[in-house]
């Protein structure tokens, strides 16, 4: 497993909270354990105290993404370094669970679980994974979704560093909103020069996930908040 893949731990934890929507799914020991995924041994160590501890680590990880989103690279690195110092990792060589065609282990680096408590173990892996991703791909690859009110964290792996949304659904929702806003402006001022808005019918907004539709999109359901 590539060490940068451990950065998903950070994204999963940060996205348990949606501040703009006042939603927080990290409210129980069961929610904490679900974050560990297939690592059941580490999950079993989680207790009631870890709910509060995980929330504290979550706030610090979100601060890293927020600094990166603002373009404050040095601040993002400083915040991440403080987590690395507080939650050190224990790297180990592993491979017996991955065998090649001849039955020999495919050796790779593995971040061992921290023995003290569930929060320390998860924080160490999340911080180190995020650090590997940051140094491998750049600080600007850490982002927060631009489709208001969603501010979920994401890791940009696009070839042209163009990602702005956490999912295709949010990208589509943002493009639909932009399309409707432009149509309203045109209806209010039919003689307006489209160049004043910085956009024309022939040059729609571009995103990494999806482009703005050139024909009226199908309206989203209006029965409540969109599920994501």
């Amino acid at each position: 497993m590539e060490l940068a893949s451990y950065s998903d731990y950070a994204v999963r934890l940060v996205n348990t909270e949606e501040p703009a929507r006042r939603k927080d799914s990290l409210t129980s020991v069961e929610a904490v354990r679900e974050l560990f995924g297939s690592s059941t041994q580490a999950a079993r160590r989680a207790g009631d105290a870890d709910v509060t501890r995980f929330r504290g680590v979550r706030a610090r990880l979100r601060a890293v993404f927020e600094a990166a989103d603002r373009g404050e690279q040095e601040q993002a690195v400083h915040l991440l370094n403080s987590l690395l110092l507080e939650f050190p990792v224990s790297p180990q060589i592993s491979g017996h669970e991955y065998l090649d065609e001849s039955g020999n282990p495919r050796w790779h680096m593995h971040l061992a679980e921290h023995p003290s408590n569930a929060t320390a173990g998860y924080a160490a892996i999340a911080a180190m994974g995020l650090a590997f991703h940051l140094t491998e791909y750049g600080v600007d690859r850490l982002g927060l979704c631009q489709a208001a009110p969603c501010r979920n964290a994401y890791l940009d792996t696009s070839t042209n560093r163009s990602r702005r949304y956490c999912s295709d659904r949010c990208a589509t929702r943002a493009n639909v909103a932009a399309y409707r806003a432009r149509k309203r402006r045109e209806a209010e001022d039919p003689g307006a020069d489209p160049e004043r808005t910085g956009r024309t019918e022939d040059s729609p907004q571009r995103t990494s996930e999806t482009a703005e539709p050139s024909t009226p999109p199908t309206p989203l359901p209006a029965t409540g908040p969109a599920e994501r």
Side-chain angles (χ1 to χ4, degrees), residues 4 7-8 11 64-73 76 129-145 152-166 208-209:
S7 56
D8 287 339
V11 173
V64 174
F65 280 92
E66 289 174 341
D69 188 63
R70 294 192 300 266
E72 300 173 1
Q73 296 195 15
L130 199 58
F132 273 104
H133 192 96
L134 183 151
T135 54
E136 180 72 17
Y137 302 107
V139 180
D140 59 340
R141 294 290 190 144
L142 279 58
L144 294 173
C145 187
N152 274 354
Y154 65 82
L155 300 170
D156 185 1
T157 56
S158 63
T159 56
N160 57 356
R161 298 173 182 265
S162 61
R163 184 171 178 177
R164 295 175 57 202
Y165 308 107
C166 68
S208 61
E209 291 89 353

Side-chain angles (χ1 to χ4, degrees), residues 63-82:
V64 174
F65 280 92
E66 289 174 341
D69 188 63
R70 294 192 300 266
E72 300 173 1
Q73 296 195 15
E74 292 186 1
Q75 176 66 2
V77 171
H78 170 72
L79 294 171
L80 188 51
N81 273 336
S82 68

Side-chain angles (χ1 to χ4, degrees), residues 17-148:
E17 180 184 30
E18 298 180 71
R21 292 189 171 111
R22 297 182 179 180
K23 291 183 178 180
D24 187 349
S25 63
L26 193 58
T27 58
S28 65
V29 177
E30 288 71 23
V32 168
R33 290 172 178 164
E34 287 178 2
L35 288 169
F36 285 91
S38 60
S39 184
T40 56
Q41 181 178 352
R44 282 196 295 267
R45 292 202 301 268
D48 292 334
D50 286 299
V51 177
T52 300
R53 291 175 187 152
F54 263 68
R55 286 178 172 178
V57 173
R58 179 181 64 187
R60 295 171 65 181
L61 286 170
R62 175 171 281 276
V64 174
F65 280 92
E66 289 174 341
D69 188 63
R70 294 192 300 266
E72 300 173 1
Q73 296 195 15
E74 292 186 1
Q75 176 66 2
V77 171
H78 170 72
L79 294 171
L80 188 51
N81 273 336
S82 68
L83 282 164
L84 292 171
L85 287 171
E86 185 172 345
F87 302 104
V89 298
S90 301
Q92 292 182 350
I93 299 174
S94 181
H96 287 289
E97 67 273 34
Y98 300 106
L99 304 179
D100 60 20
E101 294 78 4
S102 302
N104 297 314
R106 293 178 177 174
W107 301 113
H108 62 276
M109 291 300 296
H110 173 74
L111 299 183
E113 297 171 356
H114 200 286
S116 60
N117 61 68
T119 302
Y122 194 99
I125 293 175
M128 182 56 74
L130 199 58
F132 273 104
H133 192 96
L134 183 151
T135 54
E136 180 72 17
Y137 302 107
V139 180
D140 59 340
R141 294 290 190 144
L142 279 58
L144 294 173
C145 187
Q146 300 300 302

